[in-house]
């Protein structure tokens, strides 16, 4: 019941939002005083009568009814719930100082928080002004207020090493050149403008004899960096691509989780990071920072309360038959959600690619894990104490380590400098984890086979290894395959964590799509359904394998086979009746 | 064919084989009998190296199989083994059970293996079960299939490890019949069994195993009709035995009486007989012998009860001078003792008194 209500609520919301967007976008983007001033005048009359202090509300939101008009107003709410981008250390500290009573939840992407604030689930979140302004384009119910932050420089971050400094210095000369020539402003206009066709970034290949650099970013922060048509684009990306092209260097972009960006730079995995990073004291101390190429103020996103009523009175008024509207709204909004999620910017490519990556990692890590698990199982069964102890230690450690942590350790520590592809790190990490579980499964399966089976095979003259593979293992497989199947499905679902190490799997694809559509419901439900379908399909494959091992089925096949032949065993026994 | 010399097997908490010596000739059918826990199965398992002997030597056709260099798998191929718990391969059909080792180890073609398997299934009467799984067979059928599996390898020797012990009494007959048939074909066989009638009928020789050695061996007639040693006789006649050494100086009357009671109760000796037994013990051992032998003289008392013939015999052995207890007891006691017993025999030879009483 609850779920279907939620479903309807979401759809209605989405359906209603659709037509208004163009108007809102223009409003927001044409931030120039000339267009706004006219309306501003009218609003101000109204505002003075309501006697609300609007000094913290930007002009374009003064005609809207915001949930909060100032930080002081927010502070009055005892149950204030705020969102916080994971990894925003400085902003986090400042927010706690400003709003000591607030309960803060951590999120991985701005679009998720924008969606929650627009729908009243969160009271607000803080991010750079352009980011929230951009998010408001897609969420008509999202506005923002000034929070008293000083404008901060947005910079590129380099490791505190000689190599980092020289690259930083080189970059700085270009930043200053661009600033002087006005190129910085024109790139800014491009990415905050409407001409979608121009929002393209070409990352340069290295000219002959020049190196290629690895840049870490977290493409969840439109308009600075985000994914469009399956590619990383955005203001910062464009700027860096242009500068590196001019320098003659190659530039490789690595899209990772925001909290992993700096980690990756510090461990030497990436050469530098560009991810809407501001000059906070911590950064200054531990890294080399470039000159500022953008100045941004952090603001507080808040909900616009009356947006729907103000903008769609006609629709609601005409709703004599609400059921018809719901139905019509449902179909059209489903359609538009589908189009937004899959068709626009050919996002289906992200999804199909994500499915492929998920299936690929699942199967490879299952194979690796099974082989590894078998070897560890043999070690476990060994009579040599120390070998057994090593196997037990391995199993205990792997079972006691969260897979995410294991993956991060492998990616950022163990394989950090090898340049090995993240997919392989994921296969190794998940395979190691899977192996620990498989080995215990196999061991119980093997130990469940009666000892007499091995003895009988030995007595016939089989060698021990041959008897094990021919007689014991097939019987053990019947014991452990059902459990194995369950563990394999867990593995498929566990692959959803590979986004932490910069792999675009199905979950990451859905994150990216949500960061573009500012919509949670449709992409998430679709992702769940796709995971279910993958799991279902792989289960079927395993079940089919299991059936091949079932002796009674094989017998029936034998029977069918022998019926068509002359030498049916029953013939020998004369009048014996078939079972 | 097989020589076993000074075979010893020690487990961490038991020593089933102390010093086993035997010669087995081609065509021998040897039944190995004896109380449980006396190493019969261990003996068999040592012969095909399912257990590694602690010490000693086993020679097959003059070749040592206990040497470290011995090729155990090929040696086992010459020696079939039939297990108490059948051990058919549960994931294979009966037919596959019999074919698999032929194909894998003797490299027979599928057709050859199939024909051999079907022929053997006919001889054990299971041709119509060829495509069944072991779990679908009765215990007797499983054991017959297991025998067919063993025979398919054309072994020179077959070791049977209590082939009927895990079977329902109704199914014992069918399995024994199959083994009897094999005996007629001149196969060398070693059979650990508790089926005395069967062992007597089939064997050329019988080993009675006890106390870690082959305690007595001979033809079935010798072992079953005329066993030379007490333990053999007690086992063959299924005698229940109570044994106690009494020292006059430390004699604990109540303790011994209690143990006698427990023995009688455990073996369901009739009330009358156990009363008579206690009376005889009291009058003869306690009153007559104990009082007259020197304090350091050991009195060895054995009681044997046979459930089959419902007979109870008390044997008392003691040293010193000749002493017939009947001579030293008073008239009333002697009369009563005569009422309680069928026969009383006293012997004195080599400084040893023996008294044997058959309790009524």
């Amino acid at each position: 019941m609850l779920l279907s209500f939620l479903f309807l609520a979401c759809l209605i919301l989405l359906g209603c939002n659709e037509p208004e967007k163009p108007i809102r976008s223009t409003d927001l983007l044409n931030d120039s005083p000339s267009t706004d001033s006219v309306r501003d005048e009218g609003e101000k009359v109204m505002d003075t009568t309501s006697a609300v202090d609007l000094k913290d509300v930007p002009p374009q939101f003064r005609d809207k009814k915001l949930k909060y008009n100032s930080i002081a107003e927010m502070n009055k709410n005892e149950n204030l719930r705020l969102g916080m981008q994971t990894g925003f250390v400085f902003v986090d500290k400042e927010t706690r100082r400003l709003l000591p009573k607030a309960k803060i939840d951590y999120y991985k992407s701005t679009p998720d928080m924008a969606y929650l604030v627009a729908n009243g689930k969160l009271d607000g979140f803080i991010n750079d002004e352009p980011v929230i302004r951009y998010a408001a384009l897609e969420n008509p119910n999202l506005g923002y207020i000034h929070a008293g932050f000083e404008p901060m420089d947005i910079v590129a971050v380099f490791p505190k090493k000689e190599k980092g400094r020289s690259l930083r210095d080189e970059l700085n000369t270009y930043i200053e050149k661009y600033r002087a020539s006005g190129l910085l402003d024109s790139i800014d206009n491009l990415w905050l403008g409407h001409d979608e066709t121009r929002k393209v970034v070409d990352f340069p290949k290295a000219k002959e004899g020049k190196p290629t650099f690895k840049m870490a970013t977290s493409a969840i922060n439109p308009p600075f960096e985000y994914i469009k048509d399956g590619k990383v684009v955005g203001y910062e990306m464009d700027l860096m691509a242009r500068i590196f092209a001019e320098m003659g260097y190659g530039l490789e972009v690595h899209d990772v989780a925001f909290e992993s960006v700096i980690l990756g730079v510090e461990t030497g995995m990436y050469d530098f990071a560009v991810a809407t990073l501001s000059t906070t004291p911590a950064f200054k101390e531990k890294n080399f920072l470039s000159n500022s190429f953008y100045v941004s103020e952090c603001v507080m996103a808040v909900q616009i309360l009356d947006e729907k009523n103000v903008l769609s009175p006609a629709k609601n008024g005409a709703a004599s038959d609400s059921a018809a509207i719901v139905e019509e709204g449902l179909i059209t909004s489903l359609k538009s959600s589908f189009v937004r999620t899959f068709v626009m910017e050919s996002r289906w490519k992200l999804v199909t690619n994500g499915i492929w990556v998920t299936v690929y990692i699942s199967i490879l890590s299952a194979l690796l894990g099974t082989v590894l698990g078998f070897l560890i199982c043999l070690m476990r069964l060994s009579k040599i104490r120390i070998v057994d102890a090593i196997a037990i230690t391995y199993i205990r450690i792997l079972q006691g380590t969260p897979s995410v942590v294991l993956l991060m350790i492998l990616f950022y520590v163990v394989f950090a400098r090898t340049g090995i592809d993240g997919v392989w790190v994921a296969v190794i990490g998940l395979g190691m984890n899977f192996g620990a579980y498989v080995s215990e499964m196999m061991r119980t399966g093997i130990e469940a086979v009666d000892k007499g089976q091995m003895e009988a095979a030995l007595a016939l003259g089989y060698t021990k290894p041959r008897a094990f593979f021919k007689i014991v293992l097939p019987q053990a497989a019947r014991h452990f395959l059902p459990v194995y199947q369950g563990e394999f499905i867990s593995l498929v679902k566990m692959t959803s964590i590979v986004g932490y190490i910069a792999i675009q799997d199905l979950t990451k694809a859905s994150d990216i799509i949500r960061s573009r559509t500012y919509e949670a419901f449709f992409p998430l439900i679709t992702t769940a359904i796709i995971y279910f379908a993958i799991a279902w399909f792989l289960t079927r494959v395993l079940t089919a394998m299991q059936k091949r091992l079932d002796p009674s089925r094989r017998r029936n096949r034998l029977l069918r086979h022998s019926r068509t032949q002359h030498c049916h065993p029953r013939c020998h026994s004369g009048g014996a009746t078939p079972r | 064919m097989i020589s076993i010399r000074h075979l010893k097997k020690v487990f961490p908490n038991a020593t089933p084989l102390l010093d086993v010596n035997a010669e087995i000739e081609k065509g021998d059918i040897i039944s190995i009998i004896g109380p449980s826990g006396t190493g019969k199965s261990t003996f068999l398992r040592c012969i095909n190296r399912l257990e590694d002997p602690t010490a000693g030597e086993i020679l097959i056709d003059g070749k040592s199989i206990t040497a470290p260099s011995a090729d155990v798998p090929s040696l086992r191929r010459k020696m079939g083994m039939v297990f108490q718990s059948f051990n058919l391969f549960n994931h294979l059909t009966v037919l596959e059970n019999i074919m698999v080792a032929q194909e894998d180890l003797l490299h027979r073609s599928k057709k050859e293996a199939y024909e051999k398997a079907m022929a053997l299934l006919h001889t054990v009467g299971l041709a119509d079960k060829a495509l069944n799984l072991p779990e679908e067979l009765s215990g007797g059928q499983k054991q017959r299939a297991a025998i067919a599996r063993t025979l398919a390898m054309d072994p020179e020797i077959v070791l049977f490890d209590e082939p009927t012990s895990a079977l329902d009494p109704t199914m014992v007959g069918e399995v024994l019949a199959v083994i009897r048939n094999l005996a007629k074909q001149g196969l060398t066989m070693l059979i650990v069994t508790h089926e005395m009638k069967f062992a007597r009928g089939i064997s050329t020789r019988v080993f009675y195993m006890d106390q870690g050695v082959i305690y007595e061996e001979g033809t079935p007639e010798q072992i079953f009709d005329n066993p030379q040693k007490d333990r053999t006789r007690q086992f063959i006649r299924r005698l229940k035995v109570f044994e106690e050494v009494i020292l006059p100086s430390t004699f604990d009357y109540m303790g011994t009486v209690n143990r006698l009671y427990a023995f009688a109760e455990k073996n369901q000796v009739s009330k009358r007989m156990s009363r008579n037994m206690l009376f005889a013990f009291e009058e003869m051992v306690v009153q007559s012998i104990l009082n007259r032998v020197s304090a350091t003289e050991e009195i060895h008392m054995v009681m044997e009860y046979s459930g089959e013939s419902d007979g109870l015999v008390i044997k008392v052995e003691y040293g010193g001078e000749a002493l017939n207890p009947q001579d030293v007891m008073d008239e009333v006691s002697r009369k009563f003792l005569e009422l309680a017993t069928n026969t009383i025999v006293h012997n004195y030879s080599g400084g040893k008194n023996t008294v044997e009483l058959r309790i009524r």
Side-chain angles (χ1 to χ4, degrees), chain B residues 32 34 69 85 99 103 109 138 196 209 211 213 219 255 262 265 267 275 311 331 339:
Chain B
I32 302 167
S69 60
S85 50
M99 286 168 66
E103 291 177 51
S109 72
S138 73
M196 295 302 158
M209 283 189 74
Q211 302 195 317
V213 297
T219 62
E265 204 160 290
N267 295 300
R275 203 174 53 231
E331 194 61 23
L339 283 174

Side-chain angles (χ1 to χ4, degrees), chain A residues 199-268:
Chain A
K199 294 185 179 178
V200 188
V201 178
D202 282 319
F203 290 101
K205 291 248 171 4
K207 290 213 178 93
E208 249 185 70
K210 297 278 180 105
T212 296
F213 290 96
K214 288 184 183 168
M215 174 174 71
T217 191
S218 181
I220 47 157
N221 238 1
F224 289 115
E225 48 270 321
Y226 60 102
I227 303 237
K228 186 186 160 194
D229 293 332
K231 286 181 182 134
V232 182
V233 297
Y235 168 82
E236 289 186 310
M237 300 297 109
D238 196 7
L239 179 64
M240 291 302 144
R242 285 172 198 237
I243 292 177
F244 274 73
E246 208 167 312
M247 293 194 289
Y249 297 148
L251 187 58
E252 224 174 66
V253 64
H254 291 261
D255 179 19
V256 301
F258 184 75
E259 63 268 32
S260 310
V261 168
I262 291 305
L263 183 67
V265 170
E266 282 172 1
T267 57

Side-chain angles (χ1 to χ4, degrees), chain A residues 400-413 497 500-501:
Chain A
T401 312
S403 309
V404 184
V405 179
L406 175 70
L407 277 194
M408 306 259 282
I409 290 173
L410 288 181
F411 192 66
Y412 291 111
V413 183
I497 60 172
Y500 274 91
I501 57 169

Side-chain angles (χ1 to χ4, degrees), chain A residues 452-453 455-456 458-462 466 470-471 474-475 551-552 554-555 559 567 569-570 572-573 576 579, chain B residues 45 73 76-77 79 83 87-91 96 100-101 104-105 114 122 127-128 131-133 136 149 153:
Chain A
Q453 297 286 319
E455 285 188 352
L458 291 179
L460 283 170
Y462 279 98
R466 204 154 174 213
K470 187 96 191 179
I471 305 298
Q475 296 187 49
S552 56
R554 196 183 56 235
R555 191 260 313 275
L559 259 180
C567 61
R570 303 244 191 282
H572 294 274
S573 59
R579 261 170 32 92
Chain B
R45 291 163 61 86
R76 284 180 181 141
R77 249 167 258 170
M79 254 188 294
F83 296 86
N87 297 346
L88 287 176
F89 304 136
N90 295 321
H91 63 305
E96 286 168 321
V100 64
D104 285 352
L105 304 174
Y114 172 84
H122 273 288
D128 59 328
L131 295 180
N132 284 58
L133 286 169
E136 295 161 340
R149 178 178 67 180
M153 303 299 284

Side-chain angles (χ1 to χ4, degrees), chain A residues 475-490:
Chain A
Q475 296 187 49
R478 283 166 69 199
H479 292 296
F480 72 70
L481 265 185
V483 201
Y484 179 89
Q485 191 171 321
E487 203 59 45
F488 178 62
I489 297 308
S490 309

Side-chain angles (χ1 to χ4, degrees), chain A residues 301-529:
Chain A
V302 292
Q303 187 187 15
I304 297 173
L305 286 176
D306 53 357
E307 187 66 16
K308 235 183 299 179
N309 294 336
V310 170
L311 282 163
S312 51
K315 207 171 182 178
N316 284 357
S320 53
D321 189 353
S322 57
I325 283 183
V326 166
E327 198 147 298
E328 192 189 359
L330 192 139
I331 292 165
T332 47
S333 66
L334 260 184
K335 254 190 199 159
S336 81
S337 279
F338 181 82
V339 169
R340 282 152 63 87
T341 304
F342 292 116
V343 182
M344 277 170 67
E345 299 180 359
S346 38
R347 287 177 187 141
W348 59 271
K349 279 185 188 157
L350 278 176
V351 176
T352 49
N353 188 51
I355 292 174
W356 164 240
V357 170
T358 293
V359 171
Y360 184 78
I361 293 179
S362 300
I363 291 178
L364 281 187
S365 47
L367 286 177
L368 174 72
T370 308
V371 173
L372 198 65
F374 181 66
L375 293 178
I376 293 162
C377 165
L378 292 185
M379 287 172 72
R380 245 348 229 106
L381 295 170
S382 159
K383 287 194 183 89
I384 306 165
R385 272 251 183 89
I386 181 83
V387 174
D388 185 25
I390 291 169
I392 291 178
T393 313
Y394 175 87
I395 292 166
R396 294 288 169 273
I397 290 176
L398 267 287
Q399 284 182 343
T401 312
S403 309
V404 184
V405 179
L406 175 70
L407 277 194
M408 306 259 282
I409 290 173
L410 288 181
F411 192 66
Y412 291 111
V413 183
V414 180
F415 294 118
R417 279 151 210 279
T418 58
I420 185 174
D421 188 24
V423 171
W424 290 106
V425 177
V427 167
I428 291 168
L430 292 173
M432 280 170 71
N433 184 63
F434 192 56
Y437 288 94
V438 167
S439 68
E440 286 298 82
M441 242 181 258
M442 283 186 174
R443 189 176 58 89
T444 5
I446 289 166
E447 281 175 355
V449 176
D450 182 34
K451 255 178 66 189
Q453 297 286 319
M454 176 58 115
E455 285 188 352
L458 291 179
L460 283 170
Y462 279 98
T463 58
K464 217 166 181 183
R466 204 154 174 213
F468 177 78
F469 283 105
K470 187 96 191 179
I471 305 298
V472 177
L473 200 59
Q475 296 187 49
R478 283 166 69 199
H479 292 296
F480 72 70
L481 265 185
V483 201
Y484 179 89
Q485 191 171 321
E487 203 59 45
F488 178 62
I489 297 308
S490 309
L491 172 70
V492 173
K493 291 184 288 183
M494 204 189 282
T495 57
S496 63
I497 60 172
V498 300
Y500 274 91
I501 57 169
I503 299 170
Q504 279 190 22
D505 71 323
L506 182 54
T507 302
K508 193 68 187 287
S510 127
D511 287 348
I512 291 166
I513 290 172
R514 274 184 299 131
S515 74
R516 293 290 289 140
T517 60
Y518 292 86
E519 192 182 313
F521 180 80
F522 197 81
L524 284 178
I525 294 291
T526 328
T527 309
I529 292 171

Side-chain angles (χ1 to χ4, degrees), chain B residues 6-273:
Chain B
H6 304 297
L7 187 65
K8 185 176 184 180
K9 175 70 190 176
V10 181
F11 288 120
N13 47 6
T15 305
L17 302 180
L18 261 181
D19 181 18
V20 176
N21 294 283
E23 290 289 330
I24 297 160
E25 301 302 327
K26 197 167 170 58
D28 269 349
I29 296 169
I30 298 173
S31 291
I32 302 167
I33 58 171
S36 37
T38 50
K40 303 185 299 293
S41 289
T42 310
F43 174 52
L44 223 55
R45 291 163 61 86
C46 279
I47 293 179
N48 78 348
R49 292 286 305 273
L50 281 181
E51 300 287 355
D52 283 324
T54 312
E57 198 178 24
I58 300 172
L59 301 171
I60 295 188
D61 297 329
K63 265 194 284 181
S64 169
I65 67 157
T66 39
S69 60
D71 178 6
V72 177
S74 74
L75 182 133
R76 284 180 181 141
R77 249 167 258 170
K78 289 199 257 175
M79 254 188 294
M81 182 152 190
V82 175
F83 296 86
Q84 178 178 352
S85 50
F86 328 127
N87 297 346
L88 287 176
F89 304 136
N90 295 321
H91 63 305
L92 301 176
T93 61
V94 170
L95 186 62
E96 286 168 321
N97 259 283
I98 304 173
M99 286 168 66
V100 64
Q102 293 189 61
E103 291 177 51
D104 285 352
L105 304 174
L106 302 182
H107 310 294
R108 288 182 182 153
S109 72
K110 216 174 189 81
K111 187 162 177 287
E112 284 172 322
Y114 172 84
E115 276 161 10
K116 177 97 184 169
M118 284 316 299
L120 282 166
L121 282 174
H122 273 288
T123 57
V124 300
L126 283 177
D128 59 328
K129 300 285 182 198
L131 295 180
N132 284 58
L133 286 169
E135 63 188 21
E136 295 161 340
L137 303 185
S138 73
Q141 290 171 332
K142 279 184 205 175
Q143 195 59 295
R144 284 187 278 151
I147 293 172
R149 178 178 67 180
T150 304
L151 296 177
M153 303 299 284
D154 294 325
E156 292 168 29
I157 311 148
V158 183
L159 312 172
F160 290 89
D161 185 7
E162 305 199 21
T164 58
S165 298
L167 294 178
D168 221 83
T170 56
M171 294 170 185
V172 171
E174 57 189 78
V175 172
L176 295 184
V178 167
I179 302 174
R180 268 194 206 99
N181 267 329
L182 293 179
K184 287 178 198 155
Q185 296 164 17
L187 211 58
T188 311
M189 301 198 284
L190 265 73
I191 310 167
V192 172
T193 184
H194 291 290
E195 299 288 331
M196 295 302 158
K197 251 182 166 169
F198 164 75
R200 181 181 184 141
I202 193 173
S203 326
T204 56
R205 291 158 73 195
V206 177
F207 290 176
Y208 172 73
M209 283 189 74
D210 204 340
Q211 302 195 317
V213 297
I214 297 178
Y215 197 78
E216 189 168 351
E217 77 153 287
T219 62
E221 291 71 30
Q222 283 170 343
I223 297 292
F224 287 104
D225 296 342
N226 196 15
Q228 295 302 303
K229 299 188 178 174
D230 271 352
R231 283 181 167 274
T232 318
R233 192 178 45 79
Q234 285 161 2
F235 177 78
I236 299 290
R237 307 252 159 93
R238 300 188 188 188
L239 299 181
K240 308 289 185 253
V241 180
F242 176 89
E243 225 175 331
E244 192 154 314
V245 176
I246 299 166
L247 208 63
S249 53
T250 60
F251 176 55
D252 167 22
Y253 175 75
M254 281 314 291
T256 307
V257 169
N258 280 340
R259 284 191 286 279
L260 280 172
Y261 261 126
F263 169 74
E265 204 160 290
K266 186 176 142 208
N267 295 300
Q268 295 175 307
V269 179
S270 71
K271 271 224 170 95
R272 173 184 55 83
M273 196 174 251

